[in-house]
Structure formats: C-alpha cells, structure tokens
Amino acid sequence: MSFVYTVNPNGGVIYKRAVEVPFSKNHLLERILSAENIRRAWKQVRANKGAPGIDSVTVEQFPDTFRELWPEIRSNLFEGTYTPSPVLRVEIPKPDGSKRPLGIPTVLDRIIQQAIAQVMGLIFDPLFSESSCGFRPGRSAHDGVQQVKQFIGQGYTVAVDTDLSKFFDKINHDVLMVRVSRQIHDKRVLKLIGKYLRAGVMVKGCLQATPAGVPQGGLCKALHKPPYAKKVIMQSKLQNQS
C-alpha cells in the first residue's frame, strides 16, 4: 500500500494512491492493520511523544510492553472484539482564564487511531474544500493567513473571524457516523470508530460516559471535524442564499 503524495502548487495535497489507484472501501480494515501502515502510525506517534494514557505506559515503554501482545490485539481488531481504553481527561489553561479539556488516549489507541487516520485521510481529504486549511496534510493556519492576504490583494476589505463554541464537545455521534458512512463502507471500521467515540473519559479516577463529542487530543478528531463541519458549513451557505 502506497502513501506517496504530491503537493498541489495551489495548496493542499493530492494523494496519488487515492486518485490514480482506487481501492475498495469495503476492505479498509485490512489496509489499516497492514504492517506498513502500522509501522508508519507507530513512527508518527513516537515522533509526537506525548503523555501516557490511563495505563501509564509511556511511548518509550510501549515497544517492550506490547510487542508480544500485538498479534492478539490485531486479531481482536479483525474479530471486532477489541475495546478501546477510556481517554485520560486533563485540563489545560486558556488565555482567558478558563480551561480547555484535553483527552489523552493510551499509546496503543493513539497508534490504532493514527493508522485509521492515515487510510481515511486518503478518502476524505480530496473531497474537502480547497479553502480548508485545518487538520489537513501539507496545510496549516499559515496557509489560511496567506489566503486572506490574497483576498486583500484582490480588493476585499472585510475578514470574518468565527469560532464554533465547544465544537468538539458537542458533536452528535449519529450525525457524524452517517456522514462518515457515506464514504466508509467497511462496517468493521465504522464499528471501531463508534467504539472510540463511546470509549468514555477518566476524570480523577472516575469513568464518565461520552454520549456526544470527541476528545480534544485524540488523533481521530482530525477526521471527525471535516465530515461534520462540512454539513454545518453547507447548511449555513444555503441559509444565506435563501
């Protein structure tokens, strides 16, 4: 499975594999759990470092702790019996004095989520707006600033800065899964994503259910936002046109 991509001169990423060699959306789990994809996921998680989750296993400790367990974990993922761990809830201060909740998955779940994101990104990224710069390969907030500068050069004089309050905390799981299932047809993958959404959070030793929202800090957040936000944005455009 190839993950080679080229950078579009006008911004963004075009995945050669997704565009030139279409693959079955009914057998994504095999691609997600392929040795090559898992190796890439581990390298990315290791590079990101980060704090341990509820099992207290650090990135440095992970290889020795889980190397022998991986074949069984992989088998459980294929059989649909794997259960993700709850994320560890911590709070980080915001400039306005309030606190932002952050969810820290275990290293194992970060690897699995990264593996999911690498494959699903090939499907979703080409479908999203060229104007979108967040959570996309080869793009960043700096690209958004450059776009604004270009609009200013074209004579536009007004820029609107908006923010969806507590966006990630309020995502409706049913709406999200309907949007995702339009592109992802492998029911095993959909079931696994659903498990991650409902895995819960551990707050000061107490498990809390997660009937809505996605944890900020989880890798799958990057894929949850585009399909869901696209619906919100399109509804807003239709309302403005009416």
Side-chain angles (χ1 to χ4, degrees), residues 137-154:
R139 301 193 184 205
S140 69
H142 298 289
D143 297 296
V145 173
Q146 290 300 318
Q147 288 185 19
V148 172
K149 288 183 176 179
Q150 290 177 9
F151 292 143
I152 292 174
Q154 295 170 12

Side-chain angles (χ1 to χ4, degrees), residues 38-66:
I38 292 296
R39 278 195 296 269
R40 289 187 66 248
W42 160 240
K43 288 181 180 179
Q44 186 61 56
V45 170
R46 182 177 58 188
N48 291 343
K49 299 181 180 179
I54 64 170
D55 60 1
S56 300
V57 176
T58 66
V59 172
E60 292 76 18
Q61 295 169 336
F62 180 81
D64 292 336
T65 305
F66 282 90

Side-chain angles (χ1 to χ4, degrees), residues 6-202:
T6 58
V7 178
N8 186 331
N10 297 320
V13 173
I14 299 177
Y15 289 98
K16 285 186 175 181
R17 185 67 178 182
V19 175
E20 297 178 6
V21 188
F23 51 78
S24 171
K25 297 178 183 179
N26 294 309
H27 299 90
L28 290 184
L29 190 59
E30 282 75 13
R31 293 182 175 274
I32 289 170
L33 298 178
S34 67
E36 177 186 352
N37 193 46
I38 292 296
R39 278 195 296 269
R40 289 187 66 248
W42 160 240
K43 288 181 180 179
Q44 186 61 56
V45 170
R46 182 177 58 188
N48 291 343
K49 299 181 180 179
I54 64 170
D55 60 1
S56 300
V57 176
T58 66
V59 172
E60 292 76 18
Q61 295 169 336
F62 180 81
D64 292 336
T65 305
F66 282 90
R67 183 176 288 110
E68 294 183 0
L69 299 176
W70 175 246
E72 181 180 355
I73 294 170
R74 187 173 185 271
S75 177
N76 291 340
L77 285 163
F78 275 119
E79 294 171 1
T81 58
Y82 176 78
T83 301
S85 299
V87 300
L88 179 64
R89 170 69 58 81
V90 297
E91 293 183 332
I92 56 177
K94 297 173 64 175
D96 61 4
S98 61
K99 294 184 178 181
R100 182 191 305 277
L102 183 70
I104 305 176
T106 63
V107 177
L108 173 61
D109 283 325
R110 296 209 292 267
I111 293 171
I112 297 172
Q113 289 187 42
Q114 177 68 35
I116 294 172
Q118 288 169 177
V119 173
M120 287 180 59
L122 300 176
I123 298 171
F124 281 104
D125 190 82
L127 302 178
F128 211 51
S129 170
E130 271 297 311
S131 299
S132 175
C133 298
F135 300 105
R136 300 182 68 185
R139 301 193 184 205
S140 69
H142 298 289
D143 297 296
V145 173
Q146 290 300 318
Q147 288 185 19
V148 172
K149 288 183 176 179
Q150 290 177 9
F151 292 143
I152 292 174
Q154 295 170 12
Y156 291 91
T157 59
V158 177
V160 180
D161 181 12
T162 62
D163 180 40
L164 299 178
S165 177
K166 297 183 178 179
F167 174 83
F168 293 109
D169 299 333
K170 298 178 180 179
I171 287 181
N172 182 295
H173 291 173
D174 292 336
V175 173
L176 172 62
M177 292 308 298
V178 167
R179 300 289 297 183
V180 172
S181 65
R182 292 178 183 176
Q183 298 297 329
I184 304 300
H185 303 155
D186 191 327
K187 293 183 178 179
R188 300 168 299 173
V189 176
L190 295 173
K191 180 180 178 181
L192 182 58
I193 294 173
K195 285 185 174 182
Y196 274 113
L197 292 174
R198 300 185 300 272
V201 296
M202 193 69 70

